[in-house]
């Protein structure tokens, strides 16, 4: 590769990193729930992407391509963690401070958020990934399908099943909210 082509490739990749790094980090963080590990996996994702960048042909959907690399990188790390190659990471997360000055309400909200996070984490992997990509990252079903290596219909079905399971699990809380609004 010539110096000019190498420079163009580097600039194009830098633009890709600038445009997508924050959302890829947030996606990985939602899966591993540990800042340091999410940063490491994000860096590994972009390193893998850089190595494969020159081999891309045509005009791929870079966002979906990055999500696929991030998904595979993170799932591999989670498998290693489960098999004991990595110590279980402590779950730390920054929570917004109290806005209304109601400590009991803040505890209730935090408890509910913890339970929702645990319920999402307990979903089957493909449902959890599809739901996360759709609801938290804003990917289209086509992008989810490409990122997870499935059909668009399968992406829709996985999101639907995940939402259905979460609604069933939190039916009482949803009913309570409806009653409070009336």
């Amino acid at each position: 590769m010539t110096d000019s082509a190498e420079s163009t490739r580097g600039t194009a990749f830098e633009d890709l990193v600038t445009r997508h790094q924050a959302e890829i980090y947030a996606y990985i963080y939602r899966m591993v729930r540990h800042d340091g590990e999410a940063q490491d996996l994000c860096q590994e994702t972009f390193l893998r992407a850089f190595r494969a960048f020159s081999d891309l042909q045509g005009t791929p959907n870079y966002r979906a391509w990055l999500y696929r690399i991030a998904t595979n990188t993170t799932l591999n790390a989670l498998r290693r963690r489960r098999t004991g190659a990595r110590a279980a990471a402590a779950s730390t997360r920054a929570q917004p401070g109290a806005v209304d000055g109601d400590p009991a309400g803040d505890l209730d909200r935090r408890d509910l958020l913890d339970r929702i996070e645990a319920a999402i984490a307990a979903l089957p992997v493909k449902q959890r990934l599809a739901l996360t990509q759709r609801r938290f990252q804003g990917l289209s079903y086509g992008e989810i399908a490409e990122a997870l290596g499935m059909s668009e219909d399968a992406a829709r079905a996985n999101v639907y099943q995940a939402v259905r399971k979460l609604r069933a699990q939190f039916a009482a809380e949803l009913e309570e909210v409806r009653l409070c609004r009336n």
Side-chain angles (χ1 to χ4, degrees):
M1 194 177 281
T2 67
D3 288 343
S4 175
E6 187 71 31
S7 175
T8 301
R9 176 179 164 235
T11 301
F13 189 77
E14 285 177 28
D15 292 344
L16 190 69
V17 171
T18 301
R19 199 169 32 251
H20 298 289
Q21 186 172 24
E23 73 178 286
I24 294 295
Y25 166 80
Y27 171 65
I28 293 170
Y29 180 83
R30 287 192 182 280
M31 287 194 283
V32 299
R33 296 171 33 182
H34 186 267
D35 179 58
E37 187 173 14
Q39 288 178 10
D40 290 346
L41 291 170
C42 187
Q43 184 176 10
E44 186 175 338
T45 294
F46 281 101
L47 180 60
R48 288 178 185 210
F50 181 75
R51 289 180 183 145
F53 191 67
S54 63
D55 296 334
L56 289 176
Q57 298 176 1
T59 54
N61 180 336
Y62 291 112
R63 186 176 188 215
W65 176 69
L66 286 171
Y67 271 93
R68 184 174 203 135
I69 294 169
T71 298
N72 291 336
T73 301
T74 305
L75 288 177
N76 287 339
L78 290 172
R79 279 187 211 105
R80 285 192 306 266
R81 182 197 300 173
R82 259 187 246 124
T83 60
R86 287 185 174 214
S91 176
T92 58
R93 169 176 98 251
Q95 291 291 329
V99 176
D100 58 4
D102 177 14
D106 290 341
L107 286 174
D108 288 344
R109 280 187 290 280
R110 184 173 182 140
D111 177 58
L112 180 59
L113 285 174
D114 288 344
R115 290 189 359 239
I116 291 170
E117 264 189 12
I120 291 171
L123 290 170
V125 173
K126 286 193 177 192
Q127 289 177 14
R128 181 175 68 240
L129 295 174
L131 176 73
T132 300
Q133 290 180 3
R134 179 71 181 170
R135 299 291 185 202
F136 300 115
Q137 304 308 134
L139 269 65
S140 69
Y141 288 111
E143 290 172 318
I144 295 167
E146 191 173 333
L148 298 180
M150 60 178 60
S151 70
E152 196 168 320
D153 286 340
R156 286 180 195 279
N158 276 291
V159 171
Y160 172 79
Q161 290 299 325
V163 169
R164 187 181 63 76
K165 288 176 182 177
L166 292 172
R167 280 189 182 140
Q169 188 168 348
F170 293 97
E173 285 87 348
L174 291 171
E175 186 60 29
E176 189 176 309
V177 169
R178 280 189 212 112
L179 292 174
C180 289
R181 287 184 185 165
N182 293 332

